[in-house]
Amino acid sequence: MSADPLDTLATIGKGKSTRSALRVVILALIAAASIASRLFSVIRFESIIHEFDPWFNFRATKYLVANGFYSFWDWFDDRTWHPLGRVTGGTLYPGLMVTSGAIWHALRALTIPVDIRNVCVLLAPAFSGLTAIAAYLLTNEMTTSNSAGLLAALFMGIAPGYISRSVAGSYDNEAIAIFLLVFTFFLWIKALKQGSMLWGALCALFYGYMVASWGGYAFITCLLPLHSFVLICMGRYSTRLYVAYTTWYALGTLASMQIPFVGFLPVKTSEHMPALGIFGFLQLLAFLDYVRSAIPSRQFQSFLWIFAGGIFTIGLAGLVVATSAGIIAPWSGRFYSLWDTGYAKIHIPIIASVSEHQPTAWPAFFFDLNMLVFLFPVGVYLCFQELADEHVFIIVYAVFGSYFAGVMVRLMLTLTPVVCVAAAIAISTLLDTYLDTKTPPEDQQSAEGSEKKSAKPGLKSASKPVVGVYSIWSKGLMVGSFSIYLLIFVLHCTWVTSNAYSSPSVVLASRMPDGSQHIIDDYREAYQWLRQNTKEDAKIMSWWDYGYQIGGMADRPTLVDNNTWNNTHIATVGKAMSSREEVSYPIMRQHEVDYVLVVFGGLLGYSGDDINKFLWMVRIAEGIWPDEVNERSFFTPRGEYRVDGEATETMKNSLMYKMSYYNFNNLFPPGQAVDRMRQARLPEVGPTLSTMEEAFTSENWIIRIYKVKDLDNLGRDHISAAAFDRGQKKRKATKKRGPRVLRVE
Amino acid sequence: MAPKNKNAAAAAAAAAARTASPAPAVASSSSFSSPSSATAATTATTSTPAQQVSAVTSVPSVSSSLSNKPSSSSSSSSSSSSKAAANQSWDKVIQNLTKHYLDTTPQRTKLIDAFQVFLVTVGALQFLYCILAGNYPFNAFLSGFSATVGQFVLTASLRIQTTESNKKEFPAVSPERAFADYVVCSLILHFFCVNFIN
């Protein structure tokens, strides 16, 4: 803290133009840093699309680029959900694909030959840079401090809560949606502050873009009305609010209805009703406001009671009638599960089965936000201190966002922006307090300074002198420790990003005993096998998790995929997987299944395999056929879920079990077969399969593909045919003779 | 419109006489009702619909208040007079409102208001049609209806921003800017409507 460099720094920072230039440079650096920190996966592995959903987005983008916009819009996909097909163009959020398609075309126009895959892989990091800038803008609306915006941009850029969904290759809707979310909020605050129609219209346009990109747009649809409502309740109705809100709503709702997937929802479902209600309410308020300015207050009161009471009654009656008559749909299942976390598990297993729909465990908050979690309440408190309209927004957002983040893991994503903004406000206030370089010599000027400062806050502080922090030690301590915290934060973010969020999960990495990296590439090996060795239209049955990947990588029709629109169809697959072969075979024949794909982690100790997901298949199937599939019968009498010799008969006979462990014990010496995932010693005699035959097993046995046998040539059923092939003629014969005969062999 | 006005004026006059209401209200009523005191009695006895909320009993009480002047009317009947009083104050509110509106609104703003009334009418007609004839081309109905609603709120915003008394709320928005915004927003609105109408 020597004087000279500080002075020079101060002089550099003095000029307005240099300051803004510095700010631009810093912002650019932050954007670059946020992009760079998301490239771990590309560097470690390769430029590849991650996980499950992104594979569909990637496939749709390729279709868009290849066939043009109009055929994309009308796309009927007959290669998924066999035999139903999917009206893909009308059931997806096209924002992401159109964005990357547009970028691709723009780059081509600039004669930069780039692969569409690379555009898709790098889209999320690019947009995270924009998100950082949007966070800067949003924070600048909140506070006059210059550093807050930059800090917010930095936090937004590297907070793991956001990185989790935006690493390179994570080509999902959230990749662009978070940018749109933050930017829409910025525009909303701008519109509200200025009361300008133009900003409101821009807000509506970006809201429309958001609707086109992500189902989470409902968050905005609920948050903006809530903010307005809180403002009204605080007695802060203003004509600015009227202009901003009505412009946003009128244009934004129309914009959202342009998306085929959303269609009439904004006027039909309950999620959108608060926005409509506040819209109507604001009309009334505006009218009342006008009337109040026109007539004396006593008359106004009687006017108000009659008018408002009447309107309220009519509105409520209308809403009740409309809901009960079915004009307005009640809340959808996903929204119920937001209020009652146990709801989905009981009523809609398919929602509960998705891991990102689970309630958040508390360490996740620290893991994803690190020290921002502690600073978040401070920032909210500081917002309370000022409490202008925009601060109310941050408070409302904080409350709303915290609740939802607690309910559902994936909504951590919507909480992260407000945490970053609030934490940035907190830290910048702190730093501004402690880093005041023009400290006066204590005696004379501190008195002046205190007078100057005390003039602002008003009566309460006018009486006592303001005590500033002038000791260089306390300053140094605070600033120093916070610098260390910030550095630790950066380290934590980098560590989390590199260790937790940068795995493509299509390609797995492990360490060899000597520490070198070993790539496990079973998924792509198997999908490549499918692509090369099966017919173009061979139908693949697998659990729905892998539907998108099969469609994207193997380019084969699937029965179900991650777009879980038809619960019954998924339950059918679940039933086929969890039933005996005799039951499953007709189901597979009816659905023209050629191959069945299962994921098995027993050899490698890979936890995300189908045996671990098996109970969900059972539950979902049980939801449709409660008398044919029964979850209880998969547990041992002691309530254990076992796969070893003590597994229940139902479990051992289920198709999934058989397919997973078929031939598995041949890998080991007799009696030594061990499932490394579940640490279970398997029975000596492995399961037998008679209706299907093993077609392919990948290097580490992660993916196993079975071919469903055609009908038997001689008209036998498959059980007996297979028994015949195994040479068990006598057993069959004894069976025919009846149970009385004692077996001698 | 004409008989209703007269009636309102008469009721207001009665109320003004009964309760000690502020001076401008009385003055305003006189501007309308110079011939009213004569005609109002006749309209009241022939009972125009506006006052039929409290049916038969209210008519004699009003007429009595007209003839007997303040003292008797305040003590005449308990329940019916309170209803009548509510009615009268209601009428007065409306009357004050129109007066205020006619006096303070500039001509241009009146033009805007005329447009808004037109939009409300069109919107109401569409809604009525939707209720009566069904909403079959729902796209068309929605875009038509939201075009009117959207245009209405945009026009209302324009009106708010151009009103003199709201100047302090919108330091950044000059009337010209407001109009430019209005045009841009309307273009966006109608683009969406046309795109949605099928």
Side-chain angles (χ1 to χ4, degrees):
Chain A
M1 295 285 286
S2 60
D4 284 343
L6 260 187
D7 278 348
T8 48
L9 259 183
T11 46
I12 287 174
K14 279 275 161 52
K16 221 169 193 181
S17 57
T18 40
R19 246 189 219 192
S20 49
L22 263 180
R23 214 170 294 158
V24 169
V25 169
I26 293 174
L27 258 185
L29 285 177
I30 288 174
S34 58
I35 292 172
S37 72
R38 284 165 169 80
L39 297 182
F40 276 111
S41 57
V42 171
I43 293 166
R44 286 217 188 120
F45 299 96
E46 59 192 287
S47 170
I48 186 183
I49 304 288
H50 290 189
E51 301 200 323
F52 306 108
D53 285 15
W55 277 101
F56 166 73
N57 298 329
F58 178 50
R59 178 161 166 256
T61 313
K62 279 200 289 191
Y63 186 89
L64 167 70
V65 169
N67 296 311
F69 184 72
Y70 283 106
S71 60
F72 173 69
W73 205 249
D74 299 329
W75 184 19
F76 178 82
D77 189 2
D78 59 351
R79 294 179 73 78
T80 53
W81 292 92
H82 183 83
L84 306 170
R86 174 185 173 192
V87 194
T88 313
T91 55
L92 52 59
Y93 292 102
L96 184 72
M97 298 94 191
V98 172
T99 306
S100 41
I103 292 174
W104 185 76
H105 280 297
L107 289 176
R108 299 281 284 202
L110 293 171
T111 65
I112 302 174
V114 62
D115 187 11
I116 184 68
R117 176 171 54 89
N118 286 322
V119 173
C120 294
V121 166
L122 296 176
L123 189 77
F127 266 86
S128 74
L130 291 179
T131 313
I133 294 169
Y136 167 79
L137 293 171
L138 178 64
T139 317
N140 267 3
E141 293 299 315
M142 301 296 153
T143 162
T144 50
S145 168
N146 293 320
S147 54
L150 293 174
L151 275 170
L154 182 66
F155 292 156
M156 196 68 226
I158 62 172
Y162 174 41
I163 283 188
S164 66
R165 290 321 198 84
S166 62
V167 290
S170 171
Y171 181 58
D172 212 344
N173 290 332
E174 289 92 333
I176 63 170
I178 296 301
F179 161 67
L180 295 172
L181 184 85
V182 178
F183 202 69
T184 309
F185 287 152
F186 159 69
L187 290 170
W188 161 248
I189 295 293
K190 198 85 182 167
L192 181 62
K193 268 175 135 180
Q194 294 198 358
S196 150
M197 274 187 271
L198 189 65
W199 286 104
L202 278 178
C203 181
L205 286 183
F206 271 86
Y207 170 72
Y209 192 6
M210 172 82 183
V211 176
S213 316
W214 192 35
Y217 74 89
F219 188 68
I220 302 183
T221 320
C222 293
L223 195 61
L224 296 194
L226 191 69
H227 178 216
S228 312
F229 185 67
V230 170
L231 284 180
I232 292 166
C233 288
M234 290 169 77
R236 291 195 176 193
Y237 167 77
S238 64
T239 44
R240 284 178 291 115
L241 179 64
Y242 177 85
V243 173
Y245 187 84
T246 52
T247 312
W248 166 75
Y249 184 76
L251 294 182
T253 309
L254 262 179
S256 67
M257 287 193 290
Q258 311 295 315
I259 311 302
F261 192 29
V262 177
F264 300 137
L265 292 184
V267 291
K268 285 197 158 169
T269 56
S270 299
E271 288 101 87
H272 299 80
M273 283 304 125
L276 180 62
I278 295 292
F279 180 71
F281 192 46
L282 273 175
Q283 306 298 331
L284 291 185
L285 277 180
F287 182 61
L288 288 178
D289 201 43
Y290 175 76
V291 169
R292 188 170 55 182
S293 70
I295 57 173
S297 63
R298 223 160 54 94
Q299 291 179 3
F300 177 69
Q301 268 182 357
S302 62
F303 176 81
L304 183 71
W305 284 117
I306 298 169
F307 189 72
I311 294 286
F312 183 74
T313 325
I314 292 171
L316 196 67
L319 191 66
V320 169
V321 167
T323 312
S324 58
I327 299 171
I328 301 172
W331 300 78
S332 64
R334 256 167 236 240
F335 273 81
Y336 274 124
S337 63
L338 283 182
W339 305 118
D340 176 9
T341 46
Y343 178 88
K345 199 167 184 183
I346 304 166
H347 300 283
I348 325 165
I350 196 146
I351 291 180
S353 75
V354 181
S355 64
E356 60 188 21
H357 290 164
Q358 307 294 335
T360 317
W362 67 264
F365 281 97
F366 184 75
F367 188 71
D368 275 353
L369 300 168
N370 196 258
M371 72 166 185
L372 302 186
V373 164
F374 312 126
L375 292 168
F376 175 44
V378 182
V380 174
Y381 170 75
L382 288 172
C383 284
F384 265 109
Q385 293 226 306
E386 299 199 28
L387 215 60
D389 290 354
E390 59 269 23
H391 299 111
V392 176
F393 177 75
I394 289 294
I395 292 163
V396 171
Y397 185 3
V399 173
F400 213 53
S402 312
Y403 175 75
F404 285 131
V407 170
M408 215 186 251
V409 174
R410 89 158 152 179
L411 291 181
M412 184 71 87
L413 207 56
T414 52
L415 176 69
T416 308
V418 72
V419 171
C420 292
V421 170
I425 291 174
I427 287 202
S428 78
T429 312
L430 196 108
L431 289 182
D432 284 353
T433 315
Y434 281 91
L435 265 187
D436 201 359
T437 44
K438 36 182 200 249
T439 311
E442 283 169 43
D443 311 326
Q444 352 127 13
Q445 289 183 23
S446 69
E448 273 179 33
S450 71
E451 269 172 33
K452 229 184 228 170
K453 277 181 188 168
S454 65
K456 236 191 287 168
L459 287 174
K460 203 169 146 194
S461 54
S463 53
K464 54 185 179 186
V466 171
V467 185
V469 183
Y470 299 126
S471 155
I472 203 149
W473 283 107
S474 53
K475 279 185 179 181
L477 194 69
M478 280 306 294
V479 174
S481 57
F482 258 88
S483 312
I484 291 172
Y485 292 152
L486 286 173
L487 284 177
I488 291 177
F489 174 68
V490 172
L491 283 181
H492 173 86
C493 292
T494 318
W495 179 80
V496 169
T497 310
S498 93
N499 281 308
Y501 293 139
S502 288
S503 166
S505 88
V506 175
V507 183
L508 307 166
S510 70
R511 296 259 167 223
M512 300 297 268
D514 60 351
S516 64
Q517 197 178 40
H518 177 64
I519 299 285
I520 297 166
D521 209 358
D522 280 36
Y523 279 99
R524 286 196 293 179
E525 183 192 350
Y527 294 139
Q528 190 65 18
W529 183 89
L530 276 179
R531 195 184 260 272
Q532 289 176 345
N533 294 288
T534 59
K535 285 203 307 280
E536 182 82 8
D537 59 344
K539 283 88 187 171
I540 317 289
M541 182 174 91
S542 71
W543 189 234
W544 59 265
D545 295 22
Y546 313 104
Y548 279 164
Q549 288 186 347
I550 295 171
M553 286 192 254
D555 191 28
R556 291 291 174 269
T558 53
L559 256 67
V560 291
D561 64 31
N562 309 45
N563 173 262
T564 52
W565 64 272
N566 189 333
N567 191 27
T568 312
H569 210 54
I570 291 179
T572 309
V573 173
K575 185 184 172 191
M577 294 288 197
S578 55
S579 307
R580 303 165 55 83
E581 275 186 80
E582 295 88 329
V583 182
S584 307
Y585 186 71
I587 296 178
M588 293 191 285
R589 291 294 301 182
Q590 281 162 5
H591 290 85
E592 301 178 316
V593 175
D594 294 307
Y595 293 91
V596 183
L597 181 148
V598 291
V599 175
F600 174 64
L603 183 66
L604 211 63
Y606 172 61
S607 63
D609 70 347
D610 275 346
I611 292 285
N612 279 0
K613 293 171 183 170
F614 190 37
L615 282 179
W616 286 112
M617 304 181 203
V618 175
R619 276 175 206 151
I620 290 168
E622 189 182 4
I624 305 288
W625 293 280
D627 44 349
E628 292 180 60
V629 184
N630 187 2
E631 186 186 346
R632 185 67 191 83
S633 58
F634 287 86
F635 289 105
T636 60
R638 290 168 61 197
E640 291 167 313
Y641 177 63
R642 306 185 71 135
V643 294
D644 54 10
E646 293 179 42
T648 61
E649 279 307 304
T650 324
M651 181 75 188
K652 278 182 179 167
N653 285 323
S654 68
L655 191 66
M656 174 57 72
Y657 181 89
K658 284 184 170 181
M659 285 193 296
S660 291
Y661 293 108
Y662 185 66
N663 276 344
F664 185 58
N665 50 355
N666 293 350
L667 283 181
F668 299 88
Q672 304 280 311
V674 171
D675 181 335
R676 287 200 198 141
M677 179 53 225
R678 285 154 284 268
Q679 303 303 332
R681 183 176 293 272
L682 295 169
E684 197 162 341
V685 182
T688 52
L689 273 173
S690 41
T691 56
M692 42 180 60
E693 56 198 359
E694 185 176 356
F696 176 79
T697 297
S698 63
E699 183 188 353
N700 299 298
W701 285 56
I702 287 187
I703 302 233
R704 310 197 67 184
I705 299 171
Y706 291 86
K707 183 170 170 48
V708 178
K709 281 185 190 164
D710 206 350
L711 289 175
D712 190 58
N713 276 341
L714 302 175
R716 301 167 295 182
D717 63 293
H718 281 98
I719 308 286
S720 47
F724 180 80
D725 287 344
R726 278 195 300 271
Q728 294 174 330
K729 202 158 63 168
K730 278 181 184 168
R731 192 181 133 206
K732 193 179 130 199
T734 51
K735 226 179 181 181
K736 268 193 175 170
R737 256 182 271 140
R740 276 161 299 158
V741 179
L742 185 70
R743 223 184 290 173
V744 193
E745 307 88 338
Chain B
M1 199 65 192
K4 208 174 178 183
N5 256 346
K6 279 178 200 164
N7 196 14
R18 196 159 46 78
T19 60
S21 71
V26 180
S28 71
S29 72
S30 69
S31 69
F32 269 101
S33 59
S34 48
S36 71
S37 54
T39 52
T42 60
T43 49
T45 44
T46 49
S47 71
T48 45
Q51 280 196 325
Q52 286 315 92
V53 185
S54 54
V56 194
T57 52
S58 73
V59 176
S61 81
V62 169
S63 60
S64 72
S65 76
L66 273 176
S67 58
N68 289 357
K69 294 281 158 150
S71 59
S72 65
S73 75
S74 59
S75 62
S76 60
S77 58
S78 54
S79 65
S80 64
S81 77
S82 68
K83 272 183 191 171
N87 264 346
Q88 285 162 8
S89 71
W90 181 250
D91 288 341
K92 204 165 108 192
V93 163
I94 290 172
Q95 192 204 356
N96 273 359
L97 217 55
T98 33
K99 172 76 175 62
H100 176 86
Y101 177 75
L102 290 174
D103 283 356
T104 58
T105 317
Q107 197 57 40
R108 276 188 192 178
T109 314
K110 279 184 188 164
L111 197 64
I112 291 179
D113 288 341
F115 183 47
Q116 281 187 300
V117 170
F118 166 73
L119 286 172
V120 169
T121 322
V122 173
L125 278 178
Q126 291 186 23
F127 199 73
L128 201 68
Y129 176 85
C130 173
I131 289 174
L132 293 179
N135 61 5
Y136 163 57
F138 197 41
N139 280 74
F141 164 69
L142 263 188
S143 52
F145 189 65
S146 32
T148 52
V149 171
Q151 198 64 58
F152 176 81
V153 296
L154 288 179
T155 317
S157 302
L158 176 69
R159 185 189 192 286
I160 287 172
Q161 290 186 341
T162 48
T163 306
E164 248 350 275
S165 58
N166 288 333
K167 220 55 263 152
K168 61 178 190 307
E169 282 275 358
F170 304 99
V173 183
S174 64
E176 291 78 16
R177 159 93 193 271
F179 190 71
D181 284 4
Y182 175 71
V183 171
V184 171
C185 291
S186 303
L187 282 178
I188 296 173
L189 176 80
H190 288 287
F191 168 76
F192 282 142
C193 286
V194 169
N195 192 29
F196 193 58
I197 205 164
N198 272 359

